[in-house]
Amino acid sequence: MKLQGTMRINEAGHLEIGGVDTLDLVKEFGTPLWVLDERAFRENCRKLKEAFASAGDSQVIYASKALCTMATCILVKEEGLGLDVVSGGELHTALAVDFPVEKIYFHGNNKTPEEIEMAVKNRVGIIVVDNFYEMELLNRICQREGREQRIILRISPGIEAHTHEYIKTGQIDSKFGFTLPNGQALEAVKRLSDYPSLIYTGLHCHIGSQIFEMESFAHTADVMMAFVAQIREETGLVTTELNLGGGFGIYYYEGDEPVPPEAWVQAVMPCVKEKAAEFGVPVPRVVVEPGRAIVGPAGTTLYTVGSYKDIPGIRKYIAVDGGMGDNPRPALYGSKYEAMLANKANQPPEETVSVAGKCCESGDMLLWDVKLPRVEPGDILAVSATGAYNYAMSMNYNRIPRPAMVLVGNGQADLILKRETYDDLIRNDVVPARLR
Ligand SMILES: *Cc1c(COP(=O)(O)O)cnc(C)c1O
């Protein structure tokens, strides 16, 4: 397992994160446990922010769907980034920590009237309008509330990035946004003249996730700038903001080669500037909204090894006390991770095992064919790069309570998410009188 962020192997031969021995974390908080490396999280925010700031007018916003808790929203606020929310629940979390509303972007392909009203009443900075139905609805709510709302339009630019089928979003056949190649996007811009409460600010697109090819982003910037020029020509509207989405790839597994933020900036910003000059339009402010690249590498999950099953000549399974409930990505996308034994961190690999979760589902496998020192029940398995889309996508399948999450830094560990209890699991159960 590649050591990321503040990870190191300490004198006791244990994995340490944020200056805290992971075995101490296990003693205090139990397993499974999500561990968030505060310095790694903050540094990822800072590196992105600095890289973009050096290239001109820009803004980095954190796609909170990757991991949205009150503590992470506070870290983002302290680092001065904006926040992207995609639901009333994420917005509520941001409001609960007094996140500056003018820096909140509200996304989503089917925002409910209640969610839109919540966003408008709380004066969210920008609403990313996804479709014609929403445009009409938003305008009506704004009129009722007596408010004007800055918006950007989500565009589906017809670009296919090389990534998993379910995490690519920019192609024509997508549930998201106004389609560019068939003229729908231009029609959307023109129709804005019917909606006086909506203030056109710019465009948004997001071509997918876990992308490593800078050409995909550069090509997107070119296509979007051509559209910016077309909008100017046909409607006179000036695009002051161009949001190019998130999707920067991170290191999960051997072969993944993340591109530093500077390289992204160098690949994309010149395209935007050159095209602006070529078409004679003002250079828009470039906004990016990475989630995974900020929080993914900062997260590690700790599990306790329990049972095992050796099928001679075929495979040895070891099972941990979590699985698809706390990390559905391998089952959902076939995602790969790396792992190590946190309590045998400096022992050489001795056997190849596959790591199963504890759910009643054959697909509940966390890792295949990972080389580890000899594995015994009670060992602590650490899986790296689990910060993004793990807690966020977690579930209670088999009524397994969700793990706790701790924030570690400078030798200190603080709980930021309580472990669910069995009583939490039945909290919303209702037994009607006739069953009593
Ligand atoms: C998911 C998503 C992001 C963040 O994607 P990452 O891969 O986590 O960077 C940003 N913008 C939009 C619109 C998204 O749907």
Side-chain angles (χ1 to χ4, degrees):
M1 183 179 109
K2 187 177 148 190
L3 299 181
Q4 304 208 59
T6 65
M7 285 179 183
R8 67 174 202 113
I9 293 166
N10 67 15
E11 296 65 35
H14 301 162
L15 174 65
E16 185 183 288
I17 310 173
V20 186
D21 189 318
T22 51
L23 295 203
D24 291 338
L25 290 174
V26 169
K27 254 182 241 142
E28 188 174 351
F29 301 100
T31 58
L33 184 68
W34 285 307
V35 182
L36 190 63
D37 180 341
E38 179 173 348
R39 195 161 90 200
F41 186 97
R42 288 186 187 275
E43 272 180 8
N44 292 340
C45 288
R46 268 173 225 168
K47 280 187 200 145
L48 280 155
K49 203 178 155 193
E50 280 162 17
F52 281 92
S54 70
D57 192 15
S58 62
Q59 159 115 58
V60 179
I61 62 184
Y62 171 60
S64 74
K65 71 175 190 210
L67 171 56
C68 183
T69 65
M70 289 170 71
T72 45
C73 287
I74 292 171
L75 295 180
V76 172
K77 177 167 119 175
E78 287 181 359
E79 294 303 325
L81 272 58
L83 197 74
D84 144 2
V85 300
V86 298
S87 70
E90 289 179 355
L91 177 56
H92 182 72
T93 311
L95 295 173
V97 301
D98 289 323
F99 200 93
V101 284
E102 70 281 1
K103 285 182 167 175
I104 297 179
Y105 284 63
F106 193 15
H107 281 275
N109 70 309
N110 186 23
K111 305 174 190 76
T112 65
E114 295 75 22
E115 285 175 322
I116 291 178
E117 192 180 305
M118 181 179 175
V120 171
K121 279 189 170 160
N122 284 291
R123 298 177 186 264
V124 157
I126 297 244
I127 293 185
V128 186
V129 174
D130 185 275
N131 52 71
F132 291 112
Y133 167 76
E134 181 185 341
M135 206 181 259
E136 166 83 36
L137 184 63
L138 175 61
N139 186 65
R140 209 179 324 129
I141 290 170
C142 287
Q143 286 186 327
R144 199 178 64 211
E145 299 295 324
R147 294 266 165 84
E148 286 188 329
Q149 177 66 53
R150 289 171 69 218
I151 60 148
I152 59 179
L153 297 176
R154 175 147 189 178
I155 306 299
S156 176
I159 289 164
E160 306 218 1
H162 296 166
T163 187
H164 190 280
E165 191 68 32
Y166 289 168
I167 49 180
K168 67 184 187 194
T169 50
Q171 77 278 24
I172 291 178
D173 188 1
S174 160
K175 75 166 184 169
F176 294 108
F178 298 99
T179 309
L180 183 59
N182 68 3
Q184 205 179 54
L186 184 63
E187 171 61 25
V189 180
K190 286 181 175 165
R191 221 184 274 181
L192 283 175
S193 59
D194 298 340
Y195 301 118
S197 300
L198 311 187
I199 305 167
Y200 175 76
T201 309
L203 303 172
H204 172 277
C205 63
H206 172 75
I207 54 170
S209 264
Q210 187 62 358
I211 297 168
F212 295 108
E213 300 93 23
M214 291 302 99
E215 308 82 66
S216 300
F217 288 115
H219 178 54
T220 306
D222 280 352
V223 170
M224 293 297 281
M225 284 306 292
F227 186 44
V228 165
Q230 190 186 16
I231 290 172
R232 175 69 180 274
E233 204 177 292
E234 300 209 15
T235 68
L237 288 171
V238 174
T239 300
T240 54
E241 191 162 310
L242 180 59
N243 183 326
L244 292 170
F248 312 162
I250 64 162
Y251 182 92
Y252 282 108
Y253 191 80
E254 215 183 317
D256 289 341
E257 283 175 24
V259 178
E262 300 75 38
W264 196 96
V265 167
Q266 278 157 21
V268 172
M269 296 298 262
C271 296
V272 173
K273 287 180 188 157
E274 277 162 30
K275 290 289 168 185
E278 184 185 329
F279 296 125
V281 294
V283 179
R285 185 165 83 134
V286 172
V287 180
V288 288
E289 44 185 25
R292 189 190 312 273
I294 290 174
V295 71
T300 304
T301 310
L302 303 176
Y303 301 97
T304 302
V305 176
S307 67
Y308 52 90
K309 174 182 175 178
D310 202 353
I311 312 168
I314 305 232
R315 174 183 304 286
K316 180 173 173 185
Y317 288 92
I318 62 164
V320 294
D321 53 354
M324 66 189 290
D326 59 82
N327 184 4
R329 295 187 70 254
L332 200 55
Y333 306 130
S335 311
K336 286 183 171 182
Y337 285 90
E338 288 182 344
M340 68 188 284
L341 292 181
N343 57 323
K344 298 177 179 171
N346 53 15
Q347 293 181 21
E350 248 184 77
E351 57 178 344
T352 300
V353 300
S354 294
V355 181
K358 63 182 265 115
C359 286
C360 285
E361 189 75 44
S362 293
D364 180 22
M365 290 295 299
L366 287 175
L367 299 104
W368 294 99
D369 299 327
V370 49
K371 289 193 178 63
L372 295 175
R374 181 144 305 277
V375 190
E376 293 157 302
D379 282 340
I380 302 301
L381 184 85
V383 178
S384 58
T386 59
Y389 308 107
N390 275 230
Y391 163 68
M393 289 185 156
S394 64
M395 58 180 156
N396 288 125
Y397 181 49
N398 293 158
R399 282 222 153 170
I400 295 168
R402 283 183 180 77
M405 191 181 299
V406 289
L407 184 67
V408 293
N410 291 320
Q412 194 182 328
D414 295 290
L415 195 63
I416 58 171
L417 195 67
K418 288 188 214 164
R419 182 175 300 283
E420 281 180 346
T421 64
Y422 289 142
D423 275 338
D424 288 333
L425 296 174
I426 58 169
R427 178 148 298 150
N428 293 327
D429 286 18
V430 178
V431 180
R434 67 192 170 83
L435 294 185
R436 282 190 199 127

